[in-house]
Amino acid sequence: MTKATALRQARRLAVVADQLFAMVKNDPTLSPEQIASLARQWFADALAEFEREAAAQRLDDPDDLERAVQRDRDRAEGAADLLRRNDIAVASGSAVALLAQHGIDASPDSPTVVELARALLRAAAEAARLGVARLEGDYSARPVDPLFASAETLPAPAPAPAPAPAAQRKNDQTFSKAFERYSLEKRAAGAWRPAMDIDAQATASIFMEIAGDRPLSQYTRADIGEFVSALQRLPAHRTKRPRFKGKSIVELVAMADADPSIERISPVTVKKYATILSAFWGWTVDRGLTDQNIARAAYKKPKRTIRRNQERDAWSVEQLRTLFNAPIWRGCKGATRRTEPGPQIIRDVDWWLPVLALFHPCRLEELAQLRVADIREEGGIPYLDIHASDDGADGDAPARRLKSAAAIRRVPIHKTVLALGFMDLVAERRAAGIRMLWPELKAGGAANRLSFDYSKRFGRLRRQLGIEGPDFHSFRHTSITALVRAEVHPDIVSQLSGHEIPGERGRFSKGAELPALRQAIDAIAYDGIDAEFIGSRRGIPGANLSDSKNA
């Protein structure tokens, strides 16, 4: 279908719809065909919106691509689930609004709204299914729902003129030269975070070691297969373990093949590197350097063998008791001797971060990069204003970075944290003119994260205390589990934890207000782990409480 044909058919669809609705402005009861016509128009609009979004972003980061694909899968599954349960509440508002656009005033419980809401759920499920296919590069997918089989969809983008055959190209660049140019473009556009840049260079290095540095025209799909095969057999931590230092990729693969006890890199990492290579090869097609993306869909992660909620340990109450009985919270010998029992309790970043993470489903970097100005209050409810920077790095306040758009949120401060005096700390920082909530943190590591050094310190503390299994990120798992066990609504759990609200509820819902969020946060509870337990100085004669300015 050409673009011109699609536009003619779209105009015809709009004219038919206008004629149908002109007939029913005085009678809000629509026929099945009229309802179907409106649903098809909504479906076509949804696909057009997908194309606009796709054109505005480049999902080179495999995590971003996987999140986008999973989001549309969740939408499709969520809409199908609502249809199975005949739960049309989330779509009825949109149905009423859609009818109002055509001058039809209909009650939310009218038969017309009920049937249109069901049709919109079908449209949302079908649009999301096609969105997944298109995100994965498949524009041949067509609607399978009979209601939309003849609906107007945007045609696949017209193929670009075929580039000249490799033999005729004057500038058949080598892989290394092309990848260098690709990297420069990505950096100039700000498309790569520091960690992504490092992963990209590692991908290029491994590929060239496996397939050589040749003109782009000389590579084939078989070279991509060799690359993926080598990735799947590479030892994990190859750059950190002494026994792997100085070894070539071929030698490392041979070592791992000969010793089954050697841990291999994870499927997630294999997928990441394969996606980076595919993105590069797609860029070479866009730039007219090659004819096709020979690396597309070169690797698919194996299906899970365990449930997702079993992949990471949560903190048990006994482990939390062990942690908060450590000298950091009970009394230590000083700022440089935090693991030795003594009279000093220093309420600095090491004291506060585990407490905050236990009672708020936040990521470590979200907490580490908080500014004093990010602690806000509305209607008597203090909350963490978690958002990305709109001003970039600014003096002693580095740019805030978030994992995704869904991570932008307001998280009310838990009553236990308030009881421990958190707002006093904030007031002291504000009065002293200190911008960062944790001024002692300095950015580090490949990703330039403020949490880099602290994460290592916490890991050492956990091991010294003999706590096996959970790590700092497990606090997030633990707090989300506490919300679920408190029977908090799943949408509020997603909103507080910075996840996309799944299915069509995420499309139609505007989220809960701050009072409801506070009620949910305060439902997080652990047996015996409260302000009295965490803040207790029992057993430390002459304990001296101080904040981080005295550390």
Side-chain angles (χ1 to χ4, degrees):
M1 181 189 299
T2 66
K3 185 174 182 180
T5 301
L7 289 174
R8 285 196 299 273
Q9 292 181 346
R11 291 191 195 101
R12 177 176 55 77
L13 181 66
V15 169
V16 171
D18 288 343
Q19 292 172 344
L20 289 171
F21 291 110
M23 298 168 55
V24 295
K25 285 189 177 182
N26 297 320
D27 181 4
T29 303
L30 272 65
S31 70
E33 179 52 38
Q34 290 166 338
I35 290 173
S37 176
L38 188 55
R40 293 187 190 107
Q41 197 170 27
W42 190 95
F43 171 74
D45 288 343
L47 280 183
E49 178 62 25
F50 167 84
E51 289 296 334
R52 285 192 291 272
E53 290 179 358
Q57 60 184 336
R58 186 84 181 237
L59 299 173
D60 291 335
D61 187 328
D63 291 338
D64 291 343
L65 175 60
E66 190 163 331
R67 278 194 294 271
V69 170
Q70 189 59 51
R71 179 193 63 219
D72 277 2
R73 284 189 181 130
D74 288 343
R75 284 177 176 173
E77 292 170 4
D81 181 60
L82 291 173
L83 282 168
R84 280 193 294 271
R85 295 188 284 109
N86 200 31
D87 182 357
I88 63 168
V90 296
S92 61
S94 292
V96 170
L98 208 52
L99 290 169
Q101 291 176 10
H102 292 273
I104 301 171
D105 184 16
S107 169
D109 57 358
S110 68
T112 292
V113 170
V114 170
E115 290 305 314
L116 180 56
R118 284 185 58 83
L120 291 184
L121 287 175
R122 289 171 65 181
E126 193 65 10
R129 188 187 67 80
L130 291 181
V132 169
R134 293 184 179 190
L135 281 171
E136 295 178 335
D138 180 10
Y139 274 80
S140 65
R142 290 293 178 263
V144 296
D145 187 324
L147 182 60
F148 308 107
S150 60
E152 311 312 321
T153 64
L154 286 181
Q168 299 176 13
R169 291 194 186 105
K170 295 181 179 179
N171 185 22
D172 191 8
Q173 295 184 16
T174 62
F175 180 91
S176 60
K177 290 294 184 184
F179 203 90
E180 181 181 4
R181 176 183 165 191
Y182 173 67
S183 300
L184 288 173
E185 286 190 16
K186 289 297 178 185
R187 293 175 193 133
W192 280 351
R193 298 186 297 270
M196 182 64 185
D197 198 342
I198 291 172
D199 286 337
Q201 304 316 311
T203 300
S205 176
I206 294 172
F207 180 76
M208 285 189 287
E209 192 166 344
I210 294 297
D213 184 17
R214 296 178 272 155
L216 294 175
S217 63
Q218 295 183 13
Y219 294 105
T220 67
R221 183 76 170 179
D223 294 309
I224 306 300
E226 289 293 326
F227 167 73
V228 171
S229 175
L231 284 179
Q232 293 175 287
R233 295 150 62 199
L234 268 180
H237 314 295
R238 72 183 191 283
T239 62
K240 299 178 181 179
R241 300 285 168 81
R243 65 184 294 198
F244 300 144
K245 291 290 181 69
K247 297 287 193 302
S248 68
I249 297 297
V250 173
E251 290 172 328
L252 290 171
V253 168
M255 288 176 65
D257 286 346
D259 184 356
S261 68
I262 293 178
E263 180 186 1
R264 312 294 180 98
I265 64 174
S266 71
V268 172
T269 303
V270 175
K271 176 70 172 177
K272 176 171 61 177
Y273 287 174
T275 302
I276 290 171
L277 191 65
S278 177
F280 163 71
W281 230 275
W283 173 87
T284 67
V285 175
D286 292 343
R287 295 296 182 271
L289 302 176
T290 62
D291 299 333
Q292 61 179 321
N293 181 354
I294 61 173
R296 191 175 79 83
Y299 174 77
K300 290 186 177 181
K301 282 195 303 183
K303 292 184 177 180
R304 298 177 185 274
T305 57
I306 60 173
R307 298 178 65 180
R308 294 185 68 181
N309 62 2
Q310 296 176 325
E311 291 181 343
R312 188 178 293 275
D313 293 315
W315 287 80
S316 69
V317 170
E318 285 307 311
Q319 288 171 327
L320 292 173
R321 289 181 179 277
T322 299
L323 177 67
F324 291 117
N325 272 320
I328 288 179
W329 291 273
R330 291 293 175 254
C332 64
K333 286 191 174 180
T336 60
R337 302 170 72 180
R338 303 297 292 275
T339 60
E340 301 177 47
Q344 292 192 43
I345 297 178
I346 305 168
R347 292 196 174 190
D348 61 356
V349 65
D350 289 51
W351 195 95
W352 277 109
L353 280 185
V355 176
L356 286 169
L358 181 61
F359 290 99
H360 307 88
C362 297
R363 301 173 179 91
L364 173 55
E365 187 66 13
E366 291 173 347
L367 297 174
Q369 66 187 3
L370 285 171
R371 303 182 190 183
V372 174
D374 296 334
I375 315 303
R376 300 175 181 270
E377 187 172 321
E378 180 181 302
I381 301 174
Y383 65 91
L384 308 178
D385 182 13
I386 299 176
H387 61 285
S389 278
D390 52 8
D391 54 358
D394 184 10
D396 63 343
R400 308 174 187 85
R401 294 180 296 183
L402 298 180
K403 186 172 183 179
S404 66
I408 300 172
R409 64 200 190 278
R410 299 190 297 175
V411 182
I413 300 173
H414 194 280
K415 58 187 178 182
T416 297
V417 176
L418 294 175
L420 286 167
F422 179 70
M423 296 307 290
D424 293 336
L425 171 71
V426 174
E428 290 171 8
R429 294 274 196 267
R430 190 168 283 130
I434 299 173
R435 300 186 64 188
M436 299 302 294
L437 190 58
W438 318 113
E440 59 266 52
L441 293 181
K442 305 301 178 186
N448 202 37
R449 292 191 174 99
L450 285 168
S451 59
F452 179 74
D453 287 332
Y454 171 76
S455 179
K456 292 182 178 297
R457 288 202 304 274
F458 184 80
R460 289 193 295 269
L461 171 66
R462 179 178 56 81
R463 289 188 293 272
Q464 288 170 0
L465 296 173
I467 299 174
E468 297 182 0
D471 55 15
F472 193 95
H473 193 71
S474 298
F475 285 125
R476 180 170 159 84
H477 183 114
T478 305
S479 59
I480 291 174
T481 300
L483 287 168
V484 172
R485 290 177 177 174
E487 299 183 352
V488 172
H489 192 283
D491 290 0
I492 293 182
V493 176
S494 294
Q495 187 176 343
L496 287 170
S497 55
H499 286 147
E500 290 277 1
I501 295 175
E504 284 311 292
R505 295 195 308 276
R507 192 181 190 87
F508 295 105
S509 172
K510 300 303 180 185
E513 297 291 343
L514 207 55
L517 296 176
R518 178 177 64 176
Q519 183 178 5
I521 277 290
D522 283 346
I524 294 176
Y526 311 97
D527 186 22
I529 309 297
D530 52 19
E532 182 180 357
F533 177 80
I534 295 172
S536 172
R537 288 173 280 164
R538 63 182 181 278
I540 307 295
N544 174 40
L545 178 65
S546 63
D547 62 22
S548 60
K549 68 187 178 187
N550 297 321

